[in-house]
Amino acid sequence: MNRKIAPSLLSADFGKLREDIEMINASEADWFHIDVMDGVFVPNITFGFPVINYIKKYAKKPLDVHLMIIDPDRYIEKFKDSGADILTVHYEACIHLHRTIHKIRESGMTAGAVLNPHSPVLLLEDILSDLDLVLLMSVNPGFAAQKFIANTYEKIRKLNQLRTDRNTKLLIEVDGGIDLANAQKLFEAGANVLVAGNSIFSSADPVKMISDLKNSGR
Ligand code: DX5
Ligand code: ZN
């Protein structure tokens, strides 16, 4: 499967957001990763619809919207209207995850479930065939630039095995603390999409960093 890189705009410079969007358009990046936090599910607040509408206006690649909000069902249609192409919701935030995932698919978006570092991949075993994507958090959600949690490799391997057993086309995405020190190993463990914020936006040459992450070990 092709490798994908999804730069997280949480680490962009919001004073020149348009420039950072154009940088990603011109790079080898595949998706725009957009972190929406509500200050309840996670101890931080980011941005909402006006900012996502603006990103959609200029982004030439799909918007991968990661919801870190409680009861996300309330806003599925609004995220669709704002231009989300991929919508991911946390297992830990959804009481009726199966219903939520189907609502996302029915609205025409790619549907993904997210697992916090403490949640085992087996929790998704019975809805695996309903999912287009699983996002494994490799940090506790809420902030950029945190330290990568090494147990993630094992979770990717387990999920990869489940995917092979079920013969599904599920994408495995990983988010948090990703840089050149772990990207190759993550792809080799079975990840298809890597999210990276700090490592890209703190780099002197973000376009090159995106390319290096995508091609690491090749
Ligand atoms: C964390 C967010 C991540 C974060 C990644 O809650 O979901 O997407 O922005 O940033 P880095 O790559 O800096 O860990
Ligand atoms: Zn994220």
Side-chain angles (χ1 to χ4, degrees):
M1 245 186 276
N2 281 344
R3 293 174 167 194
K4 292 189 197 307
I5 298 292
S8 166
L9 288 178
L10 188 55
S11 294
D13 178 346
F14 291 105
K16 58 177 187 65
L17 185 55
R18 174 85 191 267
E19 264 177 60
D20 284 347
I21 294 169
E22 296 300 350
M23 179 279 288
I24 294 171
N25 283 337
S27 77
E28 287 179 52
D30 298 274
W31 296 347
F32 286 79
H33 186 82
I34 296 174
D35 291 301
V36 178
M37 306 185 188
D38 67 356
V40 180
F41 181 68
V42 287
N44 199 2
I45 297 174
T46 53
F47 41 74
F49 302 112
V51 176
I52 300 173
N53 290 339
Y54 178 87
I55 297 166
K56 186 67 179 179
K57 198 166 153 193
Y58 299 108
K60 296 199 173 84
K61 299 174 182 183
L63 302 193
D64 168 32
V65 179
H66 173 193
L67 298 185
M68 286 157 275
I69 65 175
I70 58 161
D71 196 7
D73 292 53
R74 295 171 294 164
Y75 296 108
I76 290 171
E77 281 307 320
K78 283 207 77 174
F79 281 107
K80 170 71 183 168
D81 294 345
S82 277
D85 298 282
I86 300 141
L87 197 66
T88 61
V89 294
H90 271 257
Y91 168 87
E92 300 84 3
C94 297
I95 297 173
H96 304 289
L97 182 62
H98 180 276
R99 178 185 290 150
T100 308
I101 290 296
H102 281 276
K103 271 192 188 168
I104 295 171
R105 278 184 149 180
E106 279 156 23
S107 76
M109 294 180 283
T110 296
V114 194
L115 291 178
N116 274 337
H118 70 274
S119 296
V121 296
L122 275 177
L123 287 170
L124 299 178
E125 192 182 11
D126 290 310
I127 60 160
L128 221 53
S129 57
D130 302 288
L131 293 166
D132 301 304
L133 180 152
V134 172
L135 172 52
L136 297 176
M137 291 308 300
S138 42
V139 297
N140 287 294
F143 304 94
Q146 301 183 82
K147 191 175 175 297
F148 177 80
I149 297 171
N151 181 55
T152 310
Y153 297 119
E154 194 48 35
K155 290 178 76 170
I156 299 168
R157 284 188 207 104
K158 282 184 188 158
L159 187 56
N160 195 20
Q161 188 58 51
L162 277 176
R163 168 169 68 177
T164 308
D165 294 347
R166 300 295 172 85
N167 196 20
T168 78
K169 285 200 165 60
L170 185 83
L171 288 175
I172 301 177
E173 182 175 19
V174 187
D175 183 7
I178 294 175
D179 57 21
L180 289 176
N182 50 33
Q184 179 185 355
K185 223 176 139 186
L186 290 165
F187 281 129
E188 284 172 359
N192 309 108
V193 189
L194 300 185
V195 176
N198 184 54
S199 64
I200 291 173
F201 287 98
S202 70
S203 155
D205 187 345
V207 170
K208 182 173 183 299
M209 179 55 72
I210 290 168
S211 176
D212 290 349
L213 286 166
K214 192 166 182 170
N215 298 299
S216 62
R218 280 182 169 165

